[in-house]
Amino acid sequence: MSPVASPVIVVIEDDPAIRLFLRKGLGAHGFKVFEAELGRQGIVEASIRKPDLIILDLGLPDMEGVAVIKAIREWSAMPIIILSARSAEQHKIEALDAGADDYLTKPFGLGELLARIRVEMRHSVSSPEQDQSGIFMTGAMKVDLLKRQVVVGDRDVHLTPIQYRLLSVLIKNAGKVLTHQYILKEVWGPSYRDNSHYLRIYMSQLRQKLETDPTQPQYLLTESGVGYRLKV
């Protein structure tokens, strides 16, 4: 099978030693890591990179980590794991209530962090048609959401990162009608909500790669005037 791009993680952490440890440790396990040492910089990185997951410290020089969570939650449900020296229960509650998905206190082991990452990534790609191994199937299309591999019939399909991101948003909402604005926000970010031509171009590309007859799609259906739906 032809793998798509490595899963992306944005690390928002002001301690350079921890950033180095995470960059090397996560990189050795197949993740592509982008870093930010300030909260505002991290929000920008999250918007640009559209990561599969964020690792966030609460004690940042320019703003509280909880404020970072709230800012990201205004436009994205991407998994956020807190990695902080603050071990008090109240700090954990505040972070989780703000929208964080998990909380790991320093010092920490790479093995435990990787296990937490795997759990959150499984949760983030879950759908009714997906089994516990992260496999989504509909018709002749099979997508391994953890390995990022796509097969149609007996044919391996290579997708660009944006094409894969678009497909994964549809899979996570399989069977539901998604508006143009929702898809644009999830795939490209909040500043692209009015750029419907982006979506038309990439949907056409995706149909060319996945559909037997792109003019009569079996999977990627158009809901006239509203958006798109992945048929299950």
Side-chain angles (χ1 to χ4, degrees), residues 42-191:
I43 294 168
V44 171
E45 283 292 306
S47 176
I48 294 172
R49 306 297 179 184
K50 303 299 180 303
D52 297 277
L53 184 138
I54 291 175
I55 295 175
L56 171 66
D57 182 22
L58 291 181
L60 299 168
D62 62 331
M63 63 191 295
E64 281 293 309
V66 167
V68 175
I69 299 168
K70 291 178 178 178
I72 292 172
R73 284 292 174 257
E74 289 180 358
W75 58 272
S76 177
M78 64 181 66
I80 299 174
I81 295 180
I82 301 301
L83 193 59
S84 177
R86 299 177 183 176
S87 58
E89 182 177 338
Q90 186 57 37
H91 289 138
K92 295 181 181 181
I93 292 171
E94 287 176 357
L96 294 170
D97 280 348
D101 297 279
D102 201 353
Y103 196 114
L104 193 59
T105 54
K106 302 173 184 175
F108 64 97
L110 182 62
E112 182 178 4
L113 177 59
L114 286 166
R116 302 284 187 98
I117 289 172
R118 288 192 294 269
V119 167
E120 292 308 323
M121 290 185 68
R122 284 198 297 270
H123 287 170
S124 71
V125 299
S126 62
S127 77
E129 304 299 318
Q130 176 196 321
D131 66 23
Q132 291 302 307
S133 63
I135 303 296
F136 174 89
M137 298 183 68
T138 180
M141 182 169 67
K142 176 181 177 182
V143 183
D144 188 323
L145 291 155
L146 300 181
K147 295 182 180 178
R148 296 183 162 219
Q149 295 169 336
V150 182
V151 176
V152 177
D154 57 0
R155 176 173 56 92
D156 294 340
V157 178
H158 174 75
L159 300 180
T160 67
I162 291 181
Q163 290 169 354
Y164 180 81
R165 196 179 302 148
L166 174 57
L167 179 60
S168 67
V169 168
L170 292 165
I171 287 174
K172 283 185 279 187
N173 297 277
K176 299 178 182 178
V177 177
L178 303 181
T179 65
H180 299 116
Q181 291 77 13
Y182 176 86
I183 298 172
L184 285 162
K185 183 186 73 170
E186 290 297 306
V187 177
W188 284 274
S191 60

